[in-house]
Amino acid sequence: MHIDWPRGIAVLVLTGVASAVFLREMWRIYRLLRLGQDRIQVDQVGKRFLDLIVYVLGHVKVLAWTYSGILHLFIFWGFLVLLTTILQQYGEAFVPGWTLPWIGSSPILSGLQDLFILLVLVGVGMAVYLRAVVRPPRFRSSNPLDAYLILGLITGIMVGLAGSRSTAIALSRDLPEWARGAFLSRSLATWFMGLPPSTLSFVHELFWWLHLLIILYFLTWIPEGKHLHLITIFPNIFLRKLTPRGALRPLDLEKAESLGVGRVEQFHWKDLLDTFACMECGRCTAVCPANNTGKELDPRRLHTAIRRHLVEVGDRLLRDRGGQEVDRPSLIGDVFSEDFLWQCVTCAACVQECPAFNEHIDKIVDMRRYLVMEESRAPETILEALRSLEARGHPFKGALASRTDWAKGLGIKEVARDGSAEWLFWVGCAAAFDERAQKVAQSMARILQAAGVDFAILGGEERCTGDPARRMGHEYLFQMLAQENIATLQRHGITKILTICPHCYNTFKNEYPQFGGHFQVVHHSQFLAGLLREGRLRPQRPLDLFLTFHDPCYLGRHNGEYEAPRQVLRALVGARVVEMGQCRDRAFCCGAGGGLFWAEERVGKRINHQRAEHALETGAEVVGTACPYCLVMFEDAVKAKEAPIRPRDIAELLADTL
């Protein structure tokens, strides 16, 4: 057995240098991550490992975008399978022609390796076509040279590997055992058969070193670019948020050194890991309603800008862990404008699409918290809504109605006057104070009475759940309202809550448990669907309507409820239902979420106008929804556009048939 010491030692030295560069940069990144707040805590370990199988190896979220998902699957799995060829290559470094047992000598594995060489090259070709020919808008703000460099490196690795394997076969007197399954390498070997042995040996060495050197360069380059996600995606998905999507991370107001995030090191450590796991694929930006209507907000830039800012000031922060005297750009002002932060409707479309499970909303709300609670800065209409919430328990500035005016003449029980009932009908601020949304509460009350449901309202004791305050960034006001409401509900012995507002539903279900408020909460779409299934409601009067349905973000993406409202619509006698192009988990927001119902939309096209156009494209006469805020936003858009379509809540439609 001939040992090629010079080549073997050269390979070890180059590998050592490349590994040292890689590990140095990875250690630096780890130290930057540890600048973030809180400790690493891991629970539900079994589920987290299952997530790695489903979302990393299975590519479930990546494949939601079929074309780009398939090309990424080819390349990802190609590299996993072809790692075996690298192990083989290190054996060959010292002993040319040596084969590693089970890896370098298996015809079956060799066939699989050749298959994935082809699939990786197909994936590269698909990626080039997507970027150079299709050119989707989500790629326009990314660096094309970076993308083409990585595609070129991947191509070089595949060419070097295929070339070294095929020339090795051509150099052999007898067909090696491993080559019996290597269909691609054997085919390519015929191209080299006529070369003189010395030339063939030189070409083989050239391909062999090309393959190895590109891999080693790739290793040193990974920490510098977006392809760091090849490594960070594993811990990012393993450590992903397992609490409900609709639950924002609470802030410990008594212990917090800062109310919100005004400096990059004040982010949670997992928020910083998100930025290094970002693939820069642009899916989040492609579905963002704010970005799609011409606004500054760019969910991808949220992560890339935080990462660049952290890397830029990281060494100084590491030298001065306090960070008080570090000279750096302002996170809010220089890195992100205030408009950028106030354009987010917290619809979770970006979170839904992100293959890395990055959390965009938490970061934006944390920076809003800093603006509102530390700096007292926000758009004036937002501040007015917050002042009204604090003074009057609801965000509707100037509203003259009481919380029970909508219920006059309906004979509805009030808890304080008539005692508790089986169900508390939580009306919510919109249905109590907005004239259009009041009709939804009235319809719902008539339906409950028709079905014989024992229910009551809190009346004057009801306060806003605090959802707008929390998403506007006023965590202190939210917690004050939450604790007051929980105390009121517990004092009356209330355990079952029915609400017509998805925002109230989300807050009761997902956020009040953070403060000890545990209740059985049902959205009215779910409750109505249940009454229909039980036969307690029997629609009789035909409507003869052509309907489409708009999915509220806080019912759908935040809480996964898509079927219940459709079950109600399908039960309507004579109604025909058609889906909008963007529906269910891909639904486009109405523009009211994140507290922006109370904000002036001055930049770009109005989000509710864009969504109204989606409804008009279906040709439907009525756009149904299951959220009072969505209903009001559609009403405003329809009036502004003088559109021939009527917004109705599912409760109103069902009440019309009884």
Side-chain angles (χ1 to χ4, degrees), residues 7-8 11-12 14-15 18-19 75-95 98-105 109-110 113-114 117 120 153-154 156-158 160-162 164-165 207-219 222 230:
R7 183 165 77 160
V11 168
L12 290 180
L14 290 171
T15 302
S19 299
I75 295 172
F76 175 82
W77 268 100
F79 270 86
L80 284 185
V81 171
L82 296 174
L83 281 174
T84 57
T85 65
I86 299 174
L87 296 176
Q88 168 68 19
Q89 190 165 19
Y90 274 92
E92 293 174 351
F94 286 93
V95 184
W98 178 76
T99 56
L100 189 65
W102 300 103
I103 292 180
S105 58
L109 182 56
S110 292
Q113 290 166 344
D114 273 18
I117 290 172
V120 169
L153 291 174
I154 293 171
I157 292 171
M158 294 304 110
L161 178 59
S164 65
R165 286 161 68 89
F207 279 128
W208 194 92
W209 279 104
L210 176 70
H211 177 241
L212 181 67
L213 291 175
I214 295 178
I215 286 173
L216 294 178
Y217 172 72
F218 191 83
L219 182 66
I222 282 177
L230 292 169

Side-chain angles (χ1 to χ4, degrees), residues 299-310:
R300 171 172 53 192
R301 189 166 78 81
L302 173 71
H303 285 98
T304 58
I306 292 174
R307 182 178 69 212
R308 284 195 297 268
H309 180 55
L310 177 62

Side-chain angles (χ1 to χ4, degrees), residues 499-521:
T499 177
I500 56 179
C501 176
H503 297 264
C504 298
Y505 169 70
N506 177 73
T507 304
F508 277 126
K509 178 186 174 190
N510 297 323
E511 297 188 317
Y512 274 26
Q514 297 171 348
F515 306 96
H518 299 275
F519 307 98
Q520 179 185 344
V521 190

